[in-house]
Amino acid sequence: GSVTWADFNQDEDQYFGTPFWRPDGSGLLVQWMPREQNELRLYELNPVSGATKAIYDEKYPTWIDWIEDLTWVRDGFLIVRNGDGWEQIYYYGNDGTPKGKLTAGNNWKTKILKVDEAKKLVYYQSCGELSTRTDLYRVRLDGTRQQRLTFGDYTHDKFLISPDGGYVITTYANVTTPPRMALIDTRNGKHRDIADSKGPKLDEANLKYKDMIWLTT
Protein backbone atom coordinates (compact mmCIF):
# COMPACT_ATOMS: atom_id res chain seq x y z
CA GLY A 1 0.00 0.00 0.00
CA SER A 2 0.92 3.65 -0.20
CA VAL A 3 2.75 5.42 2.64
CA THR A 4 0.96 8.08 4.69
CA TRP A 5 3.44 10.53 6.16
CA ALA A 6 2.78 12.10 9.55
CA ASP A 7 2.20 15.85 9.61
CA PHE A 8 5.60 16.88 11.00
CA ASN A 9 7.94 19.50 9.59
CA GLN A 10 10.74 17.52 7.99
CA ASP A 11 13.02 20.57 8.05
CA GLU A 12 13.06 20.72 11.87
CA ASP A 13 15.98 19.28 13.84
CA GLN A 14 14.00 16.82 15.95
CA TYR A 15 13.92 13.38 17.53
CA PHE A 16 11.14 10.81 17.81
CA GLY A 17 10.91 8.27 20.63
CA THR A 18 9.03 5.04 21.17
CA PRO A 19 5.39 5.31 19.99
CA PHE A 20 2.42 3.79 21.83
CA TRP A 21 -0.65 2.43 20.04
CA ARG A 22 -4.07 3.09 21.51
CA PRO A 23 -5.65 -0.20 22.62
CA ASP A 24 -8.25 -0.14 19.82
CA GLY A 25 -5.68 0.78 17.15
CA SER A 26 -7.46 4.06 16.32
CA GLY A 27 -4.40 6.20 16.92
CA LEU A 28 -0.79 6.39 17.88
CA LEU A 29 0.91 8.48 20.57
CA VAL A 30 4.30 9.59 19.27
CA GLN A 31 7.05 11.06 21.47
CA TRP A 32 8.81 14.14 20.10
CA MET A 33 11.81 16.22 21.24
CA PRO A 34 13.72 19.14 19.78
CA ARG A 35 17.47 18.95 19.21
CA GLU A 36 18.10 20.39 22.71
CA GLN A 37 16.13 17.50 24.27
CA ASN A 38 14.70 19.83 26.94
CA GLU A 39 11.06 19.42 25.90
CA LEU A 40 8.93 16.31 25.46
CA ARG A 41 5.63 16.23 23.62
CA LEU A 42 3.17 13.43 23.01
CA TYR A 43 1.43 13.77 19.67
CA GLU A 44 -1.82 12.03 18.84
CA LEU A 45 -1.26 10.67 15.34
CA ASN A 46 -4.02 9.51 13.00
CA PRO A 47 -2.49 6.59 11.07
CA VAL A 48 -4.95 7.01 8.19
CA SER A 49 -4.68 10.74 7.51
CA GLY A 50 -1.31 11.49 9.12
CA ALA A 51 -2.84 14.37 11.13
CA THR A 52 -1.11 15.17 14.42
CA LYS A 53 -2.21 16.93 17.61
CA ALA A 54 -0.10 17.61 20.72
CA ILE A 55 -1.83 16.27 23.86
CA TYR A 56 1.08 16.37 26.35
CA ASP A 57 3.95 18.84 26.78
CA GLU A 58 6.75 18.69 29.35
CA LYS A 59 9.65 21.16 29.64
CA TYR A 60 12.80 21.12 31.75
CA PRO A 61 15.72 23.57 31.91
CA THR A 62 18.37 20.99 31.06
CA TRP A 63 17.45 17.45 30.00
CA ILE A 64 14.38 15.22 29.70
CA ASP A 65 14.25 11.44 29.51
CA TRP A 66 11.86 9.63 27.18
CA ILE A 67 8.72 7.95 28.49
CA GLU A 68 9.81 4.33 28.87
CA ASP A 69 6.35 2.83 29.18
CA LEU A 70 2.69 3.87 29.09
CA THR A 71 -0.14 1.99 30.80
CA TRP A 72 -3.63 2.30 29.35
CA VAL A 73 -6.74 2.36 31.53
CA ARG A 74 -10.37 2.68 30.47
CA ASP A 75 -10.49 6.49 30.30
CA GLY A 76 -6.82 7.40 29.86
CA PHE A 77 -3.28 6.36 30.59
CA LEU A 78 -0.67 6.26 33.37
CA ILE A 79 2.96 7.32 32.96
CA VAL A 80 5.96 7.61 35.29
CA ARG A 81 7.61 11.05 35.27
CA ASN A 82 9.86 12.99 37.67
CA GLY A 83 7.78 16.16 37.65
CA ASP A 84 8.45 16.98 41.31
CA GLY A 85 12.07 15.79 41.33
CA TRP A 86 11.13 12.17 42.06
CA GLU A 87 9.57 9.49 39.87
CA GLN A 88 5.81 9.59 40.40
CA ILE A 89 2.86 8.00 38.61
CA TYR A 90 0.66 10.50 36.76
CA TYR A 91 -2.84 9.91 35.43
CA TYR A 92 -4.03 11.51 32.17
CA GLY A 93 -7.28 11.33 30.24
CA ASN A 94 -7.42 9.97 26.70
CA ASP A 95 -7.12 13.51 25.36
CA GLY A 96 -4.13 14.34 27.59
CA THR A 97 -6.11 16.15 30.29
CA PRO A 98 -4.33 15.78 33.67
CA LYS A 99 -6.34 13.70 36.14
CA GLY A 100 -3.89 13.71 39.03
CA LYS A 101 -0.65 12.50 40.57
CA LEU A 102 -1.16 9.10 42.19
CA THR A 103 2.02 8.69 44.22
CA ALA A 104 4.07 10.76 46.64
CA GLY A 105 7.45 10.52 48.32
CA ASN A 106 11.06 10.00 47.24
CA ASN A 107 10.26 7.37 44.62
CA TRP A 108 12.91 6.18 42.20
CA LYS A 109 13.14 3.29 39.70
CA THR A 110 9.35 3.37 39.64
CA LYS A 111 7.58 0.85 37.39
CA ILE A 112 3.86 0.11 37.05
CA LEU A 113 3.23 -3.65 37.32
CA LYS A 114 -0.54 -4.08 37.37
CA VAL A 115 -3.75 -2.04 37.24
CA ASP A 116 -6.96 -3.45 38.71
CA GLU A 117 -9.60 -1.12 37.29
CA ALA A 118 -12.48 -2.97 38.96
CA LYS A 119 -10.98 -2.21 42.38
CA LYS A 120 -9.34 1.05 41.19
CA LEU A 121 -5.88 -0.08 42.35
CA VAL A 122 -2.41 0.34 40.86
CA TYR A 123 0.48 -1.94 41.84
CA TYR A 124 4.00 -0.64 41.28
CA GLN A 125 7.59 -1.22 42.35
CA SER A 126 9.88 1.57 43.48
CA CYS A 127 12.78 2.57 45.70
CA GLY A 128 10.34 4.60 47.75
CA GLU A 129 11.80 4.46 51.24
CA LEU A 130 15.46 3.65 50.67
CA SER A 131 17.57 4.17 47.54
CA THR A 132 19.18 0.74 47.96
CA ARG A 133 15.92 -1.16 48.41
CA THR A 134 13.15 -1.99 45.95
CA ASP A 135 9.64 -2.60 47.28
CA LEU A 136 6.16 -3.33 45.99
CA TYR A 137 3.48 -0.71 46.61
CA ARG A 138 -0.22 -0.24 45.98
CA VAL A 139 -2.19 2.98 45.52
CA ARG A 140 -5.72 3.85 44.48
CA LEU A 141 -6.46 5.51 41.14
CA ASP A 142 -7.55 8.62 43.02
CA GLY A 143 -4.12 8.88 44.67
CA THR A 144 -5.17 7.73 48.15
CA ARG A 145 -4.09 4.80 50.35
CA GLN A 146 -0.51 4.52 49.14
CA GLN A 147 0.81 1.41 50.88
CA ARG A 148 3.98 -0.66 50.98
CA LEU A 149 3.10 -4.35 50.52
CA THR A 150 6.53 -5.93 50.99
CA PHE A 151 8.33 -6.42 54.29
CA GLY A 152 11.65 -6.07 56.08
CA ASP A 153 14.93 -4.42 55.12
CA TYR A 154 15.22 -6.37 51.87
CA THR A 155 15.26 -5.66 48.17
CA HIS A 156 12.20 -7.29 46.59
CA ASP A 157 11.76 -8.11 42.90
CA LYS A 158 10.41 -10.68 40.40
CA PHE A 159 6.86 -10.05 41.64
CA LEU A 160 4.03 -12.41 40.74
CA ILE A 161 0.69 -10.75 41.55
CA SER A 162 -2.41 -12.95 41.68
CA PRO A 163 -5.30 -12.02 39.33
CA ASP A 164 -7.39 -10.56 42.17
CA GLY A 165 -4.39 -8.90 43.85
CA GLY A 166 -4.97 -10.85 47.05
CA TYR A 167 -1.56 -12.49 47.01
CA VAL A 168 1.94 -11.67 45.82
CA ILE A 169 4.98 -13.89 45.38
CA THR A 170 8.23 -11.97 45.87
CA THR A 171 11.91 -12.86 45.69
CA TYR A 172 13.82 -10.95 48.35
CA ALA A 173 17.40 -10.60 49.60
CA ASN A 174 19.92 -8.23 51.17
CA VAL A 175 23.69 -8.16 51.65
CA THR A 176 23.59 -10.89 54.32
CA THR A 177 20.55 -12.88 53.12
CA PRO A 178 20.71 -15.08 50.00
CA PRO A 179 17.57 -14.86 47.83
CA ARG A 180 14.38 -16.26 49.29
CA MET A 181 10.87 -16.48 47.89
CA ALA A 182 7.82 -15.57 49.96
CA LEU A 183 4.04 -15.49 49.59
CA ILE A 184 2.39 -12.30 50.87
CA ASP A 185 -1.27 -11.89 51.76
CA THR A 186 -1.92 -8.29 50.65
CA ARG A 187 -5.07 -8.06 52.78
CA ASN A 188 -3.30 -8.39 56.13
CA GLY A 189 0.42 -8.18 55.31
CA LYS A 190 1.18 -11.69 56.57
CA HIS A 191 3.86 -13.60 54.68
CA ARG A 192 5.63 -16.94 54.73
CA ASP A 193 8.68 -18.29 52.92
CA ILE A 194 8.07 -20.86 50.20
CA ALA A 195 11.64 -21.24 48.90
CA ASP A 196 15.18 -20.50 50.07
CA SER A 197 18.39 -20.58 48.03
CA LYS A 198 20.51 -21.02 51.16
CA GLY A 199 21.65 -24.63 51.18
CA PRO A 200 22.84 -26.55 54.27
CA LYS A 201 26.52 -26.06 53.37
CA LEU A 202 26.44 -22.31 52.74
CA ASP A 203 27.87 -21.47 56.16
CA GLU A 204 30.79 -23.81 55.50
CA ALA A 205 31.73 -21.82 52.38
CA ASN A 206 33.03 -18.98 54.58
CA LEU A 207 31.78 -16.34 52.13
CA LYS A 208 32.81 -12.74 52.62
CA TYR A 209 29.68 -10.68 53.18
CA LYS A 210 29.36 -7.07 52.09
CA ASP A 211 28.65 -4.20 54.45
CA MET A 212 26.34 -1.30 53.68
CA ILE A 213 28.05 1.94 54.66
CA TRP A 214 26.31 5.33 54.60
CA LEU A 215 28.22 8.55 54.08
CA THR A 216 26.80 11.98 54.85
CA THR A 217 27.51 14.48 52.05
Side-chain angles (χ1 to χ4, degrees), residues 109 125-127 130 132-136 150 154-156 159:
K109 297 183 180 179
Q125 68 180 53
S126 182
C127 297
L130 204 61
T132 56
R133 194 182 77 203
T134 304
D135 285 291
L136 178 67
T150 41
Y154 303 100
T155 284
H156 294 261
F159 301 109

Side-chain angles (χ1 to χ4, degrees), residues 38-52:
N38 58 1
E39 181 179 6
L40 171 66
R41 297 178 191 168
L42 270 180
Y43 280 94
E44 170 81 29
L45 170 61
N46 186 314
V48 177
S49 68
T52 61

Side-chain angles (χ1 to χ4, degrees), residues 196-215:
D196 191 343
S197 66
K198 181 179 179 179
K201 294 188 177 182
L202 181 66
D203 292 335
E204 300 175 15
N206 194 27
L207 296 176
K208 302 298 183 183
Y209 285 105
K210 300 175 182 178
D211 287 327
M212 190 75 72
I213 299 174
W214 295 93
L215 303 177

Side-chain angles (χ1 to χ4, degrees), residues 124-170:
Y124 66 97
Q125 68 180 53
S126 182
C127 297
E129 298 178 19
L130 204 61
S131 61
T132 56
R133 194 182 77 203
T134 304
D135 285 291
L136 178 67
Y137 296 86
R138 181 173 63 191
V139 67
R140 294 187 61 82
L141 274 171
D142 62 4
T144 61
R145 301 184 189 178
Q146 183 174 308
Q147 175 187 7
R148 180 191 179 207
L149 298 177
T150 41
F151 56 87
D153 190 14
Y154 303 100
T155 284
H156 294 261
D157 62 4
K158 301 176 183 177
F159 301 109
L160 296 173
I161 304 172
S162 66
D164 65 352
Y167 296 92
V168 172
I169 292 177
T170 175

Side-chain angles (χ1 to χ4, degrees), residues 17-187:
T18 303
F20 305 100
W21 280 102
R22 288 195 178 276
D24 62 0
S26 63
L28 194 64
L29 299 190
V30 178
Q31 300 188 72
W32 174 95
M33 281 193 194
R35 172 76 178 190
E36 295 77 14
Q37 294 176 265
N38 58 1
E39 181 179 6
L40 171 66
R41 297 178 191 168
L42 270 180
Y43 280 94
E44 170 81 29
L45 170 61
N46 186 314
V48 177
S49 68
T52 61
K53 177 184 178 183
I55 66 169
Y56 175 87
D57 192 1
E58 177 183 341
K59 295 183 176 71
Y60 206 71
T62 53
W63 175 274
I64 291 183
D65 287 319
W66 296 105
I67 297 172
E68 293 186 3
D69 200 8
L70 183 149
T71 302
W72 292 102
V73 291
R74 188 175 296 109
D75 59 349
F77 57 90
L78 308 177
I79 56 175
V80 176
R81 305 304 292 160
N82 60 336
D84 65 356
W86 298 96
E87 286 186 345
Q88 312 294 359
I89 300 175
Y90 291 87
Y91 187 4
Y92 290 89
N94 279 312
D95 61 354
T97 302
K99 297 173 74 72
K101 184 176 74 170
L102 303 192
T103 57
N106 299 349
N107 297 309
W108 204 246
K109 297 183 180 179
T110 303
K111 183 179 180 181
I112 300 170
L113 301 180
K114 175 184 173 68
V115 178
D116 187 336
E117 290 202 67
K119 297 179 181 178
K120 301 185 184 303
L121 295 172
V122 179
Y123 296 82
Y124 66 97
Q125 68 180 53
S126 182
C127 297
E129 298 178 19
L130 204 61
S131 61
T132 56
R133 194 182 77 203
T134 304
D135 285 291
L136 178 67
Y137 296 86
R138 181 173 63 191
V139 67
R140 294 187 61 82
L141 274 171
D142 62 4
T144 61
R145 301 184 189 178
Q146 183 174 308
Q147 175 187 7
R148 180 191 179 207
L149 298 177
T150 41
F151 56 87
D153 190 14
Y154 303 100
T155 284
H156 294 261
D157 62 4
K158 301 176 183 177
F159 301 109
L160 296 173
I161 304 172
S162 66
D164 65 352
Y167 296 92
V168 172
I169 292 177
T170 175
T171 299
Y172 69 98
N174 60 24
V175 292
T176 58
T177 305
R180 297 173 181 168
M181 189 176 286
L183 177 69
I184 303 172
D185 187 330
T186 62
R187 293 162 293 190

